[in-house]
Amino acid sequence: MKYILKWLIIMFLLSVIIFLIVRSIPVSPVDMLLQHYNLPLTEENRRLLTSYYKLDQSLFKQYIVWIKDFLKGNWGISFITKMPVKEEMLRRLPYSLIIGIGSLFLSIIFSFFLGYLAAIKEKGFFDKMTRVLSILTLSIPSFIIAIFIIYYFGVKTQLIKFFIGGKFYGILFSIIILILYQVGNLSRIVRDLFVEMKEETFVKFYLIRGFNINYILLRHCYKPALYSLFSASISKFSSVVGGSAVVEFSFAIPGISYFLISSIVNRDYNVIQAYIFLICIYMFFVHLIFDFLLSFLREKGNK
């Protein structure tokens, strides 16, 4: 109960902060709308649109109206597309979820086994590979890889038409890029944990009895490794939706993150507020699920 109450208070404070930050973005959405429709930036046009979108009301009243409607499932109307924000997001969300969740789950699986293989033989092939991958992904921005893929496969060899009915390949390469940028860090965490476990007394006891180190690590040391991996993955889950923005923009995938970028450019208040607040709610459930998984692994580890 205390856990839920704590999160409700956090959600309330976040909703206020999000609302105030979005409303403090320089350049009014009214001016952006007038420019979008090539209308003169006159005071009369500004007053008309400000009144139409009820932006002339006090911030307190605007917040109360927004949060009430949001909790009822009415997330407002997009200033630019003139469509309900909820419909726009639900239509675009599958693209971002496929890229984000698909890449993260594959990253967790690959990271566990790569970290395990890297720990078996220190300074071996897999150890060096995960180290190099970790350094490269920290040094090179993901959009550089995306540009290289588009140039090589789409321009130079012309094997793939990314921007003409090429959503499948865009999603595929987006997942691959995100996996590369997640596996390097996560696999090193798993590798370091397995290396520490090799020094444990019970592991040395099994070795003396003639058991193979490969078997010992995978059979008796996987729970602490999974615990560390899941703990590190919690922060990665925050980027499941928003973290795909770079690749979505690079490959012109109409996901929710791509929609957010255009909304920020056009100062689309309703879209930006709904997006950020949904991320906060989403992270609440992520923490709830992972707290359960970590508690389960902790109890199993103590038995």
Side-chain angles (χ1 to χ4, degrees):
M1 186 64 184
K2 289 182 179 179
Y3 183 88
I4 296 175
L5 182 62
K6 180 187 75 172
W7 270 96
L8 287 174
I9 295 171
I10 292 172
M11 288 295 178
F12 167 71
L13 294 174
L14 284 173
S15 69
V16 175
I17 294 169
I18 289 165
F19 180 84
L20 293 176
I21 289 176
V22 171
R23 296 304 165 117
S24 64
I25 296 175
V27 184
S28 167
V30 170
D31 290 347
M32 299 302 296
L33 274 170
L34 291 173
Q35 292 177 28
H36 181 77
Y37 292 109
N38 295 318
L39 295 173
L41 298 174
T42 62
E43 287 302 318
E44 184 179 357
N45 286 338
R46 286 192 177 100
R47 281 197 302 271
L48 182 64
L49 285 178
T50 300
S51 176
Y52 178 78
Y53 288 107
K54 298 180 181 179
L55 297 174
D56 54 347
Q57 298 177 348
S58 66
L59 287 177
F60 176 76
K61 189 171 183 179
Q62 288 183 53
Y63 169 77
I64 295 298
V65 171
W66 169 67
I67 198 65
K68 279 185 177 179
D69 288 343
F70 185 91
L71 294 175
K72 291 177 183 177
N74 177 15
W75 301 348
I77 303 295
S78 170
F79 293 161
I80 303 302
T81 65
K82 305 302 181 190
M83 296 285 292
V85 173
K86 187 175 181 179
E87 289 183 15
E88 287 279 13
M89 287 193 169
L90 292 177
R91 181 167 60 87
R92 299 166 186 271
L93 187 59
Y95 293 105
S96 297
L97 288 180
I98 289 171
I99 294 171
I101 293 181
S103 64
L104 186 53
F105 274 106
L106 289 173
S107 297
I108 290 173
I109 295 170
F110 290 149
S111 297
F112 179 81
F113 288 103
L114 283 174
Y116 162 72
L117 293 171
I120 289 174
K121 187 176 181 182
E122 296 179 53
K123 297 184 180 179
F125 171 77
F126 289 104
D127 193 11
K128 292 178 181 177
M129 185 186 77
T130 53
R131 182 181 288 111
V132 169
L133 186 60
S134 179
I135 293 171
L136 285 178
T137 52
L138 287 172
S139 307
I140 304 173
S142 57
F143 72 87
I144 298 293
I145 306 296
I147 290 171
F148 174 79
I149 291 172
I150 293 169
Y151 170 74
Y152 184 80
F153 291 102
V155 179
K156 189 174 182 179
T157 61
Q158 296 186 354
L159 293 174
I160 301 172
K161 295 180 180 179
F162 286 105
F163 307 112
I164 306 176
K167 286 181 185 177
F168 171 78
Y169 293 105
I171 292 172
L172 177 63
F173 280 108
S174 296
I175 291 174
I176 292 172
I177 290 171
L178 290 180
I179 288 174
L180 288 174
Y181 277 81
Q182 291 166 347
V183 163
N185 178 40
L186 293 177
S187 62
R188 297 304 295 177
I189 292 172
V190 175
R191 178 261 182 198
D192 292 342
L193 192 283
F194 273 126
V195 169
E196 288 181 14
M197 294 300 294
K198 287 166 72 174
E199 300 300 320
E200 292 290 330
T201 305
F202 77 90
V203 173
K204 292 179 179 179
F205 176 72
Y206 275 114
L207 287 172
I208 293 171
R209 294 178 60 190
F211 285 92
N212 188 286
I213 188 64
N214 300 16
Y215 170 81
I216 298 170
L217 291 180
L218 197 58
R219 177 67 180 83
H220 299 286
C221 303
Y222 74 92
K223 290 176 183 176
L226 284 178
Y227 188 91
S228 298
L229 181 58
F230 286 154
S231 298
S233 299
I234 293 177
S235 61
K236 302 290 183 182
F237 265 87
S238 63
S239 62
V240 160
V241 178
S244 60
V246 173
V247 289
E248 283 185 18
F249 188 79
S250 300
F251 294 106
I253 298 169
I256 193 171
S257 299
Y258 186 83
F259 185 44
L260 175 68
I261 293 172
S262 61
S263 299
I264 292 173
V265 171
N266 292 295
R267 309 299 191 271
D268 202 334
Y269 286 170
N270 290 333
V271 174
I272 302 170
Q273 288 168 183
Y275 178 92
I276 300 175
F277 198 48
L278 280 174
I279 293 295
C280 296
I281 296 172
Y282 159 79
M283 283 307 299
F284 162 73
F285 287 104
V286 168
H287 276 272
L288 194 65
I289 293 168
F290 270 85
D291 280 348
F292 172 77
L293 286 174
L294 294 175
S295 298
F296 176 78
L297 287 172
R298 195 184 300 115
E299 290 175 5
K300 288 289 183 180
N302 293 332
K303 289 182 179 179

